[in-house]
Amino acid sequence: MDRSRGAAHTSEATRGGELTGAVVVVALVSAVSGLLYGYDTGIISGALLQIGEDFDIGNGWEQVIAASILAGAVVGALTCSRLSERRGRRGTLLVVAVVFVVGTLGAAFAPNPELLSLARVVLGFAVGGATQTAPTYVAELSPTAYRGRLVLCFQIAIGVGILVATIVGASEAVDWRVSIGAAAVPAAVMLVLMLRLPESPRWLLKADREDDARTSLERVRPGGADVDAELAEIGGLVHEESRSSTRGWRGWREGWVRPAVVVGCGLAVFTQLSGIEMIVYYSPTILTDNGFPDSTALRVSVALGATYLLAQLVGLAIIDRVGRRRLTLITLPGAALAMVVLGTFFVTGHSGKAQVPWIIATLVVFMAFTAGGIQLMGWLTGSEIYPLAVRSAGAAAQSAALWGTNLLITLTLLSVIDTIGTGQTFWLYAAFNIAAFVFLFKRMPELTGHSLEDIEGRLHEGRFRPRDFAPKG
């Protein structure tokens, strides 16, 4: 590969580009898709209490219903990776928006648990496709000066979606069919907005459609702006990628790429093994099964959703100053300790009414540590840790690893609790957090302050251990 990367240097035009209304709409579409991801995965937490009664089902079916969206997400992430390369980012997001509407309405009108699960698989396809495509679409249309903030709209919107879902669930006045079906409205909004947006200029250049790429870029830049420099920069990157022998999924065979794959996919797995999905999906079920009133359990969900969003906002505000690696390693011990304390409450029999405030406080502490730490890294690293020519395939594999682990946990969690007990399950997840700390301490370098070109260069030179990345800033 050409290591000079002359064309990769950010042009003055893109660095100082103005934020236009069209780019704001692009970011809004991404935010809506993130909102749908958070809402559709979070709403099942409270809805399961009603669904279990309506369909007269036990923990086994509840696990299947909760996990079915994740099975679809694995397929969606992998499928939409290829689809976005062949048909474009915009075309893929149009498909995702339609599937969001269809899956949401199918789930809302499902007459039995079988069809409800099937509809949530369809919905999951849209969730996985959105997480794979929306951030990339925003990144490829945004001016460099605003790119990070606009891409992170997706991450923040996930937290907003989870919080809204927990508030709706806690109201207990909204039927589960209505609460699930309500997501069709933002999905329809996303579809309408996408119809008015341009295709990614980077994808158009890859498809040898230079005139269309120019038109697309002019639509999202200030009127009269000279886009020649930015087009030349994008064209240089596309040309370099086309000449590279390390491309797409085949590029994973290269030994020098493997350390990035190990760190990226390992991090994705540990974001789920942290226990976050156990709390988001099943906290009401776990609490009610241990004697908590439904109303208390649902209010706890709201507190956890609010904590998730606030912790994400704080984490995003400090991550570039503290550092990705450092923030993750600081917060993981706190999450592990919170899980140990939670497990101790239940194992020792101190889970009655008198301990309710302490149990809730510990849950909130856990959520703060994990949402403000390792949960920020799952999607972030996929956009920066892989070499340019395999970035799309790497991000897809990392998404699939994340969703696959999530699926396994969601399918088995209630059965694990039935087998070994609630407290012991919390201890198990404490052990996972400790394992995550050890793995990331040994393998995850500090990427903060390093350009994408610098990261790729060190990877290519075989210098991808933490000691090879000196702190910057």
Side-chain angles (χ1 to χ4, degrees), residues 49-137:
L49 299 179
Q50 295 183 33
I51 292 170
E53 293 180 2
D54 280 5
F55 290 151
D56 192 25
I57 55 177
N59 284 349
W61 260 114
E62 289 181 1
Q63 288 178 152
V64 172
I65 291 170
S68 53
I69 196 171
L70 308 175
V74 174
V75 177
L78 294 174
T79 302
C80 288
S81 169
R82 296 181 181 274
L83 187 63
S84 69
E85 291 297 315
R86 294 180 181 180
R87 301 297 181 183
R89 309 342 181 184
R90 177 181 179 271
T92 302
L93 286 173
L94 281 170
V95 172
V96 164
V98 171
V99 176
F100 261 129
V101 174
V102 173
T104 297
L105 295 178
F109 291 104
N112 53 53
E114 291 86 356
L115 289 179
L116 175 58
S117 298
L118 180 60
R120 282 178 58 81
V121 170
V122 174
L123 191 56
F125 181 94
V127 169
T131 58
Q132 172 60 33
T133 311
T136 300
Y137 182 62

Side-chain angles (χ1 to χ4, degrees), residues 268-444:
V269 168
F270 279 118
T271 60
Q272 305 308 293
L273 291 178
S274 67
I276 184 74
E277 305 307 340
M278 169 175 63
I279 301 303
V280 170
Y281 294 157
Y282 289 132
S283 59
T285 301
I286 292 171
L287 294 175
T288 54
D289 285 352
N290 283 276
F292 285 58
D294 285 7
S295 58
T296 299
L298 292 171
R299 283 196 292 270
V300 170
S301 290
V302 175
L304 294 175
T307 303
Y308 181 97
L309 178 57
L310 290 173
Q312 291 254 298
L313 289 170
V314 172
L316 289 170
I318 67 174
I319 190 170
D320 285 326
R321 293 195 295 272
V322 176
R324 289 144 174 74
R325 169 183 162 87
R326 186 181 303 167
L327 182 61
T328 307
L329 296 180
I330 288 173
T331 52
L332 275 171
L337 181 59
M339 281 289 173
V340 170
V341 173
L342 281 169
T344 302
F345 278 125
F346 288 95
V347 169
T348 61
H350 292 84
S351 56
K353 185 177 294 186
Q355 283 76 38
V356 167
W358 299 105
I359 292 174
I360 294 173
T362 309
L363 281 168
V364 168
V365 168
F366 165 77
M367 183 62 79
F369 276 116
T370 193
I374 194 171
Q375 298 307 316
L376 291 170
M377 310 306 162
W379 302 118
L380 178 60
T381 55
S383 66
E384 59 187 14
I385 200 171
Y386 300 108
L388 172 66
V390 300
R391 192 163 294 149
S392 180
Q398 188 162 328
S399 294
L402 187 149
W403 289 117
T405 308
N406 194 336
L407 171 63
L408 179 63
I409 291 169
T410 310
L411 272 174
T412 60
L413 180 67
L414 295 181
S415 297
V416 170
I417 290 174
D418 288 342
T419 302
I420 67 175
T422 302
Q424 289 85 348
T425 302
F426 283 127
W427 283 351
L428 176 64
Y429 280 86
F432 289 149
N433 278 278
I434 294 170
F437 180 91
V438 173
F439 171 80
L440 296 173
F441 180 81
K442 291 184 175 182
R443 302 300 298 263
M444 181 182 179

